Structure formats: C-alpha cells, structure tokens
Amino acid sequence: MSPDIPEVPKTVSEAMPTQAIPQATQRPPRGPGKVVETLPTSLRGLYPAIEPFESGMLDVGGGHRIYWERCGNPNGKPAVFLHGGPGGGCSPEHRRLFDPAKYCVTLFDQRGCGRSLPHASLDDNTTWDLVDDIEALRRKFGYERWLVFGGSWGSTLALAYAQAHVDRVSELVVRGIFTVRREELYWYYQKGASWLFPDRWEKFLAPIPLEERGDLMRAYRKRLTHPDEAVRVEAARAWSMWEGGTITLLPDDPLAEAFGDPHYAIAFARIENHYFVHDGFLKPNQLIGGAHVLRDVPGVIVQGRYDMATPAKTAWDLHKAWPEADFYWAPDAGHAFSEPTILHWLIEATDRFAAN
C-alpha cells in the first residue's frame, strides 16, 4: 500500500468498537415462521408515485448533515427505509414500497451519499454512526417504535439497528441479506462471482495491476482515496458498474450504466469500499450470532434464489438463527428489489404489517 493509505485490519473484533447487543424484551412468544418458495399467481407492484410531505437536513455531528424525507400519511404507521450500498442513497421508487394511505415512511440518505453532505466523506462514517442516525431520526419525529425495512446493505444496517435497539422495532422486513462476513466479501470482490460473470469481471479488474490483484478491496481503496480525481473516478466507475451489472437475474444494461454516473459512483464505491475493508465495523458473524434477540419481533426475510451479490447462504443462515421470521424465496430472481417476485413479497409484507 502507498504510505499515505493507512493499513486496515483484516478483521475488526479488537480494533473497532461495537455496541453491546441487548437482551430481547418480553413480547408475545412467536412460533416458527413459514418458508415459501412458490411463484405467486399474480404479482403485486409498486404503489403510485408520491412526493414527500416534509423533508430537511439533520446535523448528526462529525461535519455530517443527512437528508431526510417523510412520505405518505402523516398520521400513519411509522416506518423507516434503509437503502443499500452503503453509499447508494434513496430513490423515488423506494417511497412506493408502502401503502401511502396507511404508512408514514421516513427515508434518508446515509452519511456521505445522495443528498447528504459532505459528499463521499469517509470521516466519522461507520455502521454505528448510522445506527445512531436512525435513532436520532426516531427521536426527532417522536416515534416510540417503527417498522424497519432494509435491503442488501440496508439489511445489514437494519439488523444492526434492530439488535442494538430491539425495543424500538415494531416489525423488521429485510431482503437480499448481507452481513459483511469475510466469506461474503471474498465471494463478490475476489473470487466466486467472477466465475459466473467473466466478461464483467475483466472490466472490474482493469484498473488494478496484476501484482495487486491478490487483495482487490485494498487495491481499490488505494485508488478510491487517491489525490488524482481521474484515478478516483476510473476506479469508482469500475467498482460501481461491477455491481450494477450483476444484481439482476437477466441483463439490465441501462441499470449497469446508471451505476457508472461519476457523481453517484464516487460516493457509492468509496463508501462501500471503506466499509468493506473494515468488515462493516462488525465483529465476525456478529449479526447472525446476535439474531436471537429478534425472536419476538415480527419479521419477513425475502431472498432471490440466484442472487450473485449477496448469495442465498447468508439469508439461510439468518433464517436458521431467526426461525420465527417468515422466509420467502424468489425462485426466479437475483438481487435487485425491483425484480418482480422479490417486489411482490416485499409489498405483501408491508401490506400485512400495516394493520399491526
């Protein structure tokens, strides 16, 4: 590594602080959830497009100001949506995962991405900073508890938040399960997925010299924090378009190209890489190992069977650790929330919990 790039640990169990996992509070006991792998006879879709009824910026310290918005019914059931990445930001489509007549949904761009400032900042940007930001928003709006919804990295953050603040979670909906374990990262950024996408993998490798390819995340870190903007942008686009080109079961070239937008890619790639070289600022297996505190939280897990970005093994591990949640396989889908069967089960989940 170049001398201006600090060395990072392979794991962070001793190097990074983590919050203590509380014991679950007393709720009505829940039996085992159901496991479903069938294609629905008719598919649910997104609710109509809506605009926020309120938005703003929240100063969360460390120089960060996060963008937030609230959508739907101001007097509806509270929910918070946690986007992917990290570094992905929210989109208008995310508002449409909830019945606007029944929910009051808070969406926010996590530190350093989307409309939050400063853009692409890595300072004071860890999983536990984001957990604190979620709590700051809950307190700001005066909610006792709320439904927590997260996909991909959003599932990581949802699990971390729920395990740290189980009393504040009314229900938990997660999809495309990702827990930042070393084997998950190695699969997607070093070896496994390359066997299925060799053409796209060559483009991912292109910015990295042969002699640095033994640890691609660290090689990318050096470039994503490089003083030369051209070097940063080249690396960011390659990193981001690898993900954009591999998250759907069927090719979606416009989606992959959208991931290559330089402004988006810089935040997305820098923040993802920052989190991943630090193992998500989590102890090994922390989120699967801590899932027992969720046993009394009503929950839904949705997983694409052919998800290459966050392979199904992690979702199955979570199911075994949290068997009380309902588990829905999407047997014809990859990773993206917009794939029809994944989207169907997500809408079914938010509709079901709207009445609680």
Side-chain angles (χ1 to χ4, degrees), residues 223-245:
R223 286 153 183 82
L224 291 167
T225 57
H226 198 280
D228 187 332
E229 182 181 9
V231 173
R232 295 196 303 272
V233 169
E234 179 191 23
R237 294 188 74 249
W239 177 283
S240 299
M241 292 178 72
W242 162 245
E243 184 158 335

Side-chain angles (χ1 to χ4, degrees), residues 81-194:
F81 175 86
L82 307 178
H83 66 69
C90 290
S91 75
E93 287 73 25
H94 295 146
R95 304 167 185 161
R96 302 171 61 191
L97 290 159
F98 305 83
D99 184 339
K102 297 180 179 178
Y103 277 97
C104 182
V105 184
T106 300
L107 304 94
F108 72 101
D109 292 334
Q110 295 159 28
R111 296 188 182 204
C113 68
R115 292 148 288 190
S116 294
L117 298 171
H119 184 70
S121 173
L122 306 181
D123 297 329
D124 295 299
N125 196 340
T126 74
T127 303
W128 304 109
D129 291 314
L130 302 185
V131 166
D132 288 345
D133 294 348
I134 299 169
E135 267 296 274
L137 287 167
R138 184 192 62 78
R139 291 192 299 268
K140 174 179 174 63
F141 300 126
Y143 298 139
E144 183 67 21
R145 296 195 299 169
W146 52 3
L147 180 148
V148 178
F149 183 117
S152 191
W153 159 258
S155 76
T156 316
L157 185 55
L159 289 168
Y161 174 79
Q163 290 177 25
H165 298 283
V166 68
D167 289 348
R168 303 306 183 186
V169 180
S170 58
E171 301 89 11
L172 182 60
V173 178
V174 287
R175 68 99 195 149
I177 309 305
F178 177 52
T179 62
V180 207
R181 294 180 295 186
R182 179 59 48 171
E183 57 267 32
E184 297 172 49
L185 296 169
Y186 189 86
W187 159 267
Y188 199 50
Y189 293 107
Q190 193 64 43
K191 194 68 174 179
S194 65

